[in-house]
Amino acid sequence: MSEAEQIPASASEAAASAVLDALNATDSNGTEALNATAKFVATPEGTALAYGSLVFMALLPIFFGALRSVTCSKSKELGENDYDSGFRNAADMPETITSRDAARFPIIASCTLFGLYLFFKVFSQEYINLLLSVYFFVLGVLALSHTMSPLMSRVFPASFPNKQYQLLFTQGSGESKEEIVNYEFDTKNLVCLLISTVVGVWYLLKKHWIANNLFGLAFALNGVELLHLNNVSTGCILLGGLFVYDVFWVFGTNVMVTVAKSFEAPIKLVFPQDLLEKGLEASNFAMLGLGDIVIPGIFIALLLRFDVSLNKNSRTYFYSSFLAYIFGLGLTIFVMHTFKHAQPALLYLVPACVGFPVIIALFKGELTEMFRYEESSEETKEEATESEKKDQ
């Protein structure tokens, strides 16, 4: 595939990992990192299949991650630490992004991106990628295992001997004993972990694009599910900041291109454009960075939770933002092909995903209610507690 025919990606993966954030921006030149063969001119059928598959794969973690975020949010509000997807541990509970986090996020991502750029300039690319491969192997196995848990709960029959286990590490003794690790799991979780490990070994040994996509989809779904914006204003701050970040690093410098070409990790979804000619051994890929899925995805998930809070049996804002995402991603592809130049996807996704729901809320007279919607976080709880103490 020629350089002008590559899906761009923003560098902005979820807040849980600043490294993923800064590295998600994989533009057209990133193809060279995956394809060392001569330039390949894709057929119209191959191009349509690749782009269509990427769009479809991008929609899966957004849709299902948003649905799971609702269950996750309800579990958190009720103070429960267990539900269908295997939430038994504090590490699996949602992380709330506040306006302060959102404002700092583009700065942290920029520093991380530039730091990695310097690393690749100074140190051997081979050794850096070896360390990153091991790191993402561990993360990928855990993410894929967590993603599979709800499915396994439905697949296994009720008669399945599901034993409970607990991994506990403590420090000290007596009253000074402190928990370092307290992880509860069962037999079904072990089966998920075993399957995920097989996929991880496959990825480590072969770097196959299917294994890459399995890890990538798991990362994206977990990001949408577990990263919660506390309100719409925070979402606008985050998306607006990353909008500027994406445009600057794609159009203003070669830093993003250099990192994308050097970085080997499942931080993007890929699909071969020569699949019809070469089958599963195809090697000319179109790609989409996970940041272009997770960042709009957590905003769309927030709007779904807002829909649920209205108690109107309607999902107007969720479906409008979901359709806006499809429109924005389609517009990215169209502009890229028209001008024969890679485009930062958030340049089109952010206005679409924010603008569509806001316009609908304006017409329905619910704009104020939308921006007043607030989800509790540890930070807001602490502030409320301090305020109550002062009042007393």
Side-chain angles (χ1 to χ4, degrees):
M1 177 180 177
S2 65
E3 291 184 1
E5 292 177 336
Q6 196 67 20
I7 288 186
S10 70
S12 37
E13 166 111 53
S17 172
V19 173
L20 281 178
D21 250 317
L23 294 175
N24 256 339
T26 305
D27 68 4
S28 59
N29 295 301
T31 308
E32 296 174 14
L34 294 174
N35 178 23
T37 60
K39 285 188 176 181
F40 170 78
V41 179
T43 62
E45 294 82 5
T47 301
L49 177 62
Y51 286 157
S53 299
L54 284 175
V55 172
F56 177 73
M57 285 192 292
L59 297 179
L60 290 177
I62 292 178
F63 187 83
F64 291 105
L67 293 178
R68 287 176 60 159
S69 78
V70 174
T71 307
C72 178
S73 181
K74 290 178 179 178
S75 175
K76 182 179 179 180
E77 290 173 4
L78 293 173
E80 298 172 355
N81 204 23
D82 189 10
Y83 74 93
D84 283 347
S85 66
F87 275 62
R88 297 192 186 90
N89 307 283
D92 291 333
M93 292 301 287
E95 183 72 25
T96 302
I97 302 174
T98 64
S99 57
R100 188 183 305 172
D101 299 327
R104 291 185 299 198
F105 195 73
I107 300 172
I108 295 172
S110 295
C111 294
T112 304
L113 179 64
F114 190 67
L116 285 164
Y117 171 78
L118 295 178
F119 258 89
F120 280 114
K121 287 292 185 182
V122 175
F123 300 103
S124 170
Q125 178 179 328
E126 180 182 354
Y127 294 119
I128 295 175
N129 280 319
L130 178 62
L131 291 174
L132 290 173
S133 294
V134 175
Y135 174 70
F136 281 103
F137 165 78
V138 176
L139 287 184
V141 168
L142 295 175
L144 186 58
S145 178
H146 179 265
T147 302
M148 293 170 58
S149 293
L151 178 63
M152 288 299 174
S153 297
R154 291 169 174 80
V155 168
F156 284 102
S159 59
F160 181 79
N162 192 33
K163 296 183 178 180
Q164 303 295 321
Y165 304 93
Q166 182 180 25
L167 184 63
L168 179 63
F169 286 97
T170 61
Q171 178 179 326
S173 60
E175 295 181 357
S176 62
K177 182 181 290 186
E178 181 183 355
E179 286 187 1
I180 305 299
V181 176
N182 187 359
Y183 194 85
E184 297 180 18
F185 55 97
D186 55 29
T187 308
K188 295 177 183 178
N189 296 136
L190 288 176
V191 173
C192 293
L193 192 64
L194 178 62
I195 297 173
S196 301
T197 303
V198 172
V199 175
V201 173
W202 181 26
Y203 173 77
L204 272 181
L205 297 179
K206 300 293 185 180
K207 294 291 191 297
H208 198 277
W209 61 273
I210 294 179
N212 174 91
N213 287 348
L214 289 174
F215 273 175
L217 288 170
F219 285 139
L221 191 145
N222 278 272
V224 175
E225 178 187 3
L226 299 177
L227 291 172
H228 289 196
L229 296 164
N230 66 345
N231 55 48
V232 174
S233 297
T234 299
C236 292
I237 293 171
L238 179 65
L239 268 66
L242 290 174
F243 172 90
V244 175
Y245 162 85
D246 205 27
V247 172
F248 172 76
W249 288 110
V250 170
F251 287 146
T253 73
N254 71 334
V255 172
M256 191 171 288
V257 172
T258 303
V259 172
K261 289 168 63 177
S262 306
F263 195 77
E264 295 180 8
I267 60 167
K268 52 189 172 285
L269 300 180
V270 299
F271 199 90
Q273 296 192 92
D274 53 347
L275 180 69
L276 300 177
E277 291 84 4
K278 298 183 180 180
L280 296 180
E281 299 303 318
S283 57
N284 293 277
F285 298 97
M287 60 186 72
L288 179 67
L290 297 189
D292 296 324
I293 302 171
V294 175
I295 298 303
I298 61 177
F299 186 75
I300 294 171
L302 172 67
L303 293 179
L304 175 59
R305 297 193 296 275
F306 171 64
D307 276 325
V308 172
S309 73
L310 294 176
N311 295 319
K312 293 183 178 180
N313 294 322
S314 172
R315 301 294 181 263
T316 304
Y317 298 107
F318 171 65
Y319 288 124
S320 64
S321 58
F322 191 74
L323 292 174
Y325 179 85
I326 298 174
F327 170 78
L329 194 55
L331 183 61
T332 305
I333 297 170
F334 173 77
V335 173
M336 183 182 60
H337 278 287
T338 301
F339 293 98
K340 305 299 180 185
H341 191 281
Q343 303 291 314
L346 290 184
L347 176 63
Y348 307 95
L349 291 173
V350 170
C353 292
V354 174
F356 280 38
V358 167
I359 291 172
I360 291 175
L362 191 62
F363 276 104
K364 294 182 68 176
E366 296 177 341
L367 187 62
T368 303
E369 191 173 358
M370 173 188 282
F371 277 87
R372 283 180 177 174
Y373 173 70
E374 183 88 20
E375 292 189 354
S376 62
S377 65
E378 293 301 321
E379 185 175 305
T380 56
K381 286 178 181 178
E382 289 176 3
E383 291 175 357
T385 304
E386 290 178 4
S387 178
E388 288 177 2
K389 289 180 179 179
K390 288 179 181 179
D391 292 340
Q392 292 174 357

